Amino acid sequence: MNLLINILTAAVLAGTPLLLGTLGEILTEKSGNMNLGVEGMMFMGAIAGLAGAYYYEQGVVGSGGTPSGIMAAVVALVSSFLVGAFGALIYAFLTITLRANQNVTGLTLTIFGTGFGNFFGEYIGIRAGGYVAVGDNIKTAFGRLNIPVLSDIPILGKLLFNYNWVVYFSILIAVIMAYFFRKTRVGLNLRAVGEDPATADAAGINVTKYRYLATVIGGGICGIGGMYMSMVTTSGVWVHNCVSGYGWLAVALVIFASWHPARALIAALVFGGLTILRLYLKIPGVPMQIYDMLPYLATIVVLIFTSINQSKENVMPKGCGLNYFREER
Amino acid sequence: MSNVSKEHREPLIRMVKRDSISQQKQWMIRAIGLLGALLTGALVILALGQNPIAVYKDMVVGALGTPTVRRETIKIAVPLLITSIGISFAFKMQFWNIGAEGQILMGAIFAGYFAFFHSDWPKVLLVIVMLAAGMIGGGIYGLIPALFKAKWGTNETLFTLMLNYIALAFVKYLQNGPWKDPRTQFPKMSMLDDNARLTKVLGVHWGWILALVLVVLSYIYFTKTKQGYEIAVVGESNNTARYAGINVSKVFIRTMLLSGAMAGIAGMLQVAGSDFTITENTAGGVGFTAITVAWLAKMNSFGMLIVAVFIAVLERGSNKIQTTFKIPASAAEVLTGIILFFMLGCEFFINYKLIVRRRKEAEHESAN
């Protein structure tokens, strides 16, 4: 029982960056943009979040104060969102306004973002005299919350009320997005744009505006997922190549979640579990590196399975991957 | 009446598709794009408090200044060029093979098997077997996603990508377990026997000659053979290809086998000609950079030769500026990304013409 609880909590912690990346990409793809740059945007968000918290700390310490953990968290959140959104804005400008190929633009964003993250991570590290690391105050702010009473409930307290704030924040985003797509006019309009931009355009929906907004906000959410990697997973230290494929897993999880924000919760939990399983379930004779293959193998299985079982529902928005030219409809 | 109100709503800038554009003008636009990218890079360098001209100069000197660094630059360019030729095979038929990284590693592992365990064979035989093994390893790894794509239309972008991470984990497994160098505690493989290392021609392993041969061969393949033409048709439209009687599945499978085999060659050359061992950095991002090389060159193999050397200069030069200016070597990736962004943007100005609204024009039109 204890083992199961430990695995579940570790899965939630490992799955949160995947969830954020997946949610960001779902929002993007619902608008008809297939942005393969999630990995890049996560890298950009990762360094932006860390740099934000770090420079906030340096600034406060420099002027003789004590940095507040909450303020640092807010700065990290906002800066990672903005920089992730900036990456998505480059993508949006190239694909929507300049009509570049979505696949190649997304791949370029990944190359650029990976370089961007590692470059500034190392650069700030060199200037800090070795490596970047935030102080204990800020580390605590990204550590697990201690909610009075609730966290002390046996089992449930550990299972539900014992995570860092980003976990709850990302679940909140998932709930809001699920409501947004189903119940609001703007959400329905956005889905129309992703399914059939020409029809949406004829109905008076501003396709360009919707695509830009969804892509940029989606990129920002991916950026927050990156912040989780640098602030929580590596506890506020820049690690070279810290995102290491999580962004790509997120792109695959969008398919696994069949473009539903609520299902993304389950998908992220399962894949989070696969990434940490080796720490908890050791099968004699199976080397650690084989465990490392699990999430990727599972993704392939999911890809194959969904391609064999093509149903009418739960598929990619029809307009996804194609740029919309009004004059060519 | 409605006409008048429409006239007022004409946007400030509108775009018109160009009917045709001269080669000269196309290259002008691309040159301006490249200049814009380098200027953006210069702004970043300036923001870091360095002199952009000094940094760029140091890059070029660091990559081309002396015969030694020139050889290093060519060593970087060879696997990049061969892999991008391989990638262009897949991309020409709109098959998004982003798994070259894994295909390189598989080629390296297959070739490495003979290099590690059969280094007593006669050199010529050993090297030929290693080359063939590298091709088979990379080819099989490229073939797997193609089979699923042909049968069920499985998304190849993510499939090929996931295979990268699996290949990487496999290399780490070999490093820690079966292929670990017994003489050290660290999880790494031993260095290759001299017999398994490639002969140098003019200071660089002979892979560069093979790369040049592949440039010519692939050009001929695409312009003169039926198979090359089939790839182009499949790339235009799967349905058109089917209508023309082309077996699309067969083209997918055959072409991915070739594409992966070429990445496998790059892996073999990297092991036997450059690194002399296999590590998790054997592919080292070449598979991804090669995509940008292929795209920048518009899938033309001679163009890829130029772009690959250019990117190699960037990478080699970035190592230099890391020591001179303490600018991290990841600058190469950032700069490559910026250049590619600009090149992607350029295409728009080649295909479309912008017309700025002028009062005179508007009056002229309303008079009509």
Side-chain angles (χ1 to χ4, degrees):
Chain A
M1 188 64 197
N2 230 342
L3 179 71
L4 191 67
I5 292 173
N6 282 343
I7 292 179
L8 271 175
T9 47
V12 171
L13 287 172
T16 302
L18 291 174
L19 175 61
L20 285 162
T22 307
L23 290 174
E25 183 66 5
I26 288 178
L27 184 61
T28 309
E29 289 192 13
K30 281 282 184 189
S31 77
N33 272 338
M34 170 105 176
N35 188 351
L36 294 181
V38 179
E39 177 93 356
M41 295 184 294
M42 280 179 76
F43 260 110
M44 294 171 82
I47 187 57
L50 179 59
Y54 175 74
Y55 282 119
Y56 162 75
E57 188 187 28
Q58 295 293 311
V60 174
V61 171
S63 57
T66 16
S68 118
I70 295 175
M71 264 312 286
V74 172
V75 172
L77 177 71
V78 172
S79 47
S80 63
F81 179 87
L82 288 179
V83 173
F86 167 70
L89 184 65
I90 300 176
Y91 172 90
F93 179 70
L94 284 170
T95 57
I96 302 168
T97 304
L98 297 185
R99 302 169 181 194
N101 179 298
Q102 292 193 3
N103 272 329
V104 179
T105 311
L107 288 172
T108 310
L109 182 55
T110 291
I111 292 172
F112 173 79
T114 308
F116 183 97
N118 285 326
F119 178 82
F120 285 105
E122 280 159 44
Y123 184 76
I124 298 170
I126 291 172
R127 301 232 323 200
Y131 59 95
V132 210
V134 296
D136 286 338
N137 247 358
I138 298 177
K139 270 184 205 157
T140 322
F142 282 91
R144 55 193 186 83
L145 297 177
N146 222 334
I147 309 165
V149 186
L150 285 179
S151 299
D152 300 330
I153 307 172
I155 302 178
L156 268 187
K158 187 143 197 249
L159 215 48
L160 296 179
F161 304 108
N162 214 353
Y163 303 108
N164 59 74
W165 64 270
V166 192
V167 172
Y168 302 104
F169 181 78
S170 60
I171 294 171
L172 183 71
I173 294 182
V175 173
I176 293 174
M177 265 174 64
Y179 176 81
F180 170 74
F181 283 137
R182 282 182 175 276
K183 302 284 181 195
T184 66
R185 175 174 288 271
V186 180
L188 291 172
N189 283 352
L190 180 69
R191 282 167 63 189
V193 169
E195 290 293 339
D196 192 343
T199 310
D201 193 12
I205 301 171
N206 188 337
V207 174
T208 308
K209 191 172 112 190
Y210 270 87
R211 283 200 162 176
Y212 257 100
L213 275 176
T215 307
V216 168
I217 295 171
I221 296 172
C222 294
I224 299 173
M227 178 203 75
Y228 188 95
M229 302 297 294
S230 64
M231 295 310 293
V232 181
T233 311
T234 66
S235 353
V237 178
W238 181 260
V239 176
H240 190 80
N241 275 338
C242 60
V243 178
S244 66
Y246 267 59
W248 285 111
L249 273 181
V251 175
L253 280 186
V254 173
I255 300 174
F256 192 51
S258 54
W259 292 266
H260 287 288
R263 279 184 211 167
L265 288 169
I266 301 163
L269 186 67
V270 171
F271 275 71
L274 287 176
T275 57
I276 50 93
L277 204 58
R278 69 180 159 98
L279 302 175
Y280 296 89
L281 279 183
K282 285 209 177 73
I283 302 169
V286 179
M288 203 174 77
Q289 293 80 18
I290 303 299
Y291 276 101
D292 287 343
M293 296 179 184
L294 276 181
Y296 309 106
L297 279 173
T299 307
I300 290 177
V301 171
V302 168
L303 284 173
I304 295 171
F305 189 74
T306 44
S307 65
I308 295 174
N309 270 310
Q310 274 174 351
S311 60
K312 278 262 178 341
E313 275 179 56
N314 305 331
V315 292
M316 179 188 271
K318 264 194 222 65
C320 197
L322 299 169
N323 292 334
Y324 172 59
F325 310 143
R326 182 183 254 180
E327 54 274 55
E328 282 174 13
R329 75 187 149 179
Chain B
M1 276 219 332
S2 62
N3 257 346
V4 175
S5 65
K6 260 192 191 146
E7 216 86 62
H8 284 291
R9 288 186 56 193
E10 188 195 338
L12 180 65
I13 299 169
R14 65 197 160 93
M15 50 202 177
V16 178
K17 195 152 191 165
R18 290 184 202 264
D19 296 329
S20 65
I21 179 167
S22 67
Q23 280 286 328
Q24 206 185 355
K25 215 168 174 186
Q26 273 191 37
W27 286 108
M28 267 294 287
I29 293 175
R30 292 207 183 98
I32 293 169
L34 182 62
L35 205 65
L38 292 178
L39 278 176
T40 311
L43 284 178
V44 176
I45 297 167
L46 209 60
L48 299 179
Q50 302 284 1
N51 177 355
I53 297 170
V55 172
Y56 278 139
K57 197 181 149 205
D58 192 51
M59 261 183 154
V60 176
V61 172
L64 300 170
T66 65
T68 322
V69 291
R70 273 202 290 275
R71 279 186 214 121
E72 289 297 314
T73 308
I74 293 171
K75 249 184 182 171
I76 298 174
V78 168
L80 196 54
L81 175 57
I82 297 179
T83 312
S84 46
I85 293 174
I87 280 176
S88 72
F89 274 61
F91 272 37
K92 269 200 178 166
M93 58 176 186
Q94 305 266 331
F95 187 103
W96 304 103
N97 174 20
I98 49 180
E101 197 85 354
Q103 290 147 19
I104 291 172
L105 283 177
M106 275 300 160
I109 292 170
F110 271 56
Y113 170 77
F114 292 97
F116 284 126
F117 300 105
H118 295 285
S119 57
D120 52 332
W121 289 3
K123 181 153 188 153
V124 176
L125 175 72
L126 178 62
V127 171
I128 290 173
V129 170
M130 279 166 67
L131 187 66
M135 289 174 73
I136 292 168
I140 291 175
Y141 220 50
L143 183 68
I144 300 166
L147 287 174
F148 283 95
K149 169 91 173 176
K151 183 93 173 97
W152 290 299
T154 308
N155 182 321
E156 77 280 10
T157 319
L158 291 167
F159 201 138
T160 50
L161 193 101
M162 293 300 134
L163 288 176
N164 289 343
Y165 294 103
I166 292 170
L168 198 61
F170 190 59
V171 168
K172 284 184 187 158
Y173 162 68
L174 291 175
Q175 261 179 350
N176 281 282
W179 288 16
K180 183 177 165 299
D181 184 353
R183 284 163 301 182
T184 149
Q185 287 184 319
F186 300 106
K188 61 180 192 122
M189 298 181 204
S190 52
M191 298 299 277
L192 291 197
D193 203 86
D194 273 343
N195 197 34
R197 299 187 184 192
L198 302 183
T199 317
K200 285 182 180 171
V201 180
L202 300 177
V204 184
H205 66 82
W206 53 259
W208 65 271
I209 303 174
L210 181 61
L212 293 179
V213 171
L214 284 174
V215 167
V216 177
L217 283 185
S218 64
Y219 182 79
I220 295 171
Y221 185 76
F222 280 117
T223 50
K224 304 283 184 222
T225 70
K226 180 167 163 260
Q227 295 191 358
Y229 180 70
E230 283 178 346
I231 292 175
V233 178
V234 170
E236 281 298 317
S237 156
N238 286 355
N239 285 334
T240 310
R242 273 191 203 98
Y243 190 68
I246 296 172
N247 184 341
V248 175
S249 301
K250 202 172 123 193
V251 175
F252 275 151
I253 291 168
R254 185 179 65 209
T255 311
M256 269 310 288
L257 196 62
L258 289 173
S259 178
M262 266 190 268
I265 293 177
M268 177 270 181
L269 292 175
Q270 200 62 13
V271 171
S274 180
D275 296 348
F276 305 126
T277 185
I278 305 174
T279 68
E280 63 259 48
N281 286 322
T282 295
V286 167
F288 291 113
T289 315
I291 295 170
T292 60
V293 173
W295 193 264
L296 279 174
K298 312 210 98 195
M299 312 296 158
N300 177 308
S301 57
F302 291 99
M304 281 181 246
L305 174 61
I306 297 166
V307 180
V309 171
F310 178 75
I311 300 278
V313 168
L314 270 186
E315 283 192 9
R316 175 66 215 164
S318 295
N319 285 330
K320 181 71 177 15
I321 62 169
Q322 181 161 27
T323 44
T324 327
F325 297 96
K326 290 203 155 68
I327 295 176
S330 313
E333 281 172 73
V334 179
L335 210 51
T336 313
I338 293 176
I339 291 172
L340 199 65
F341 279 142
F342 271 85
M343 290 301 139
L344 286 167
C346 267
E347 293 306 305
F348 174 79
F349 296 97
I350 289 170
N351 293 324
Y352 295 86
K353 188 162 60 178
L354 291 185
I355 295 173
V356 181
R357 178 185 62 193
R358 274 172 302 188
R359 188 164 287 158
K360 258 189 192 163
E361 197 185 18
E363 275 167 11
H364 179 72
E365 271 173 25
S366 60
N368 282 342

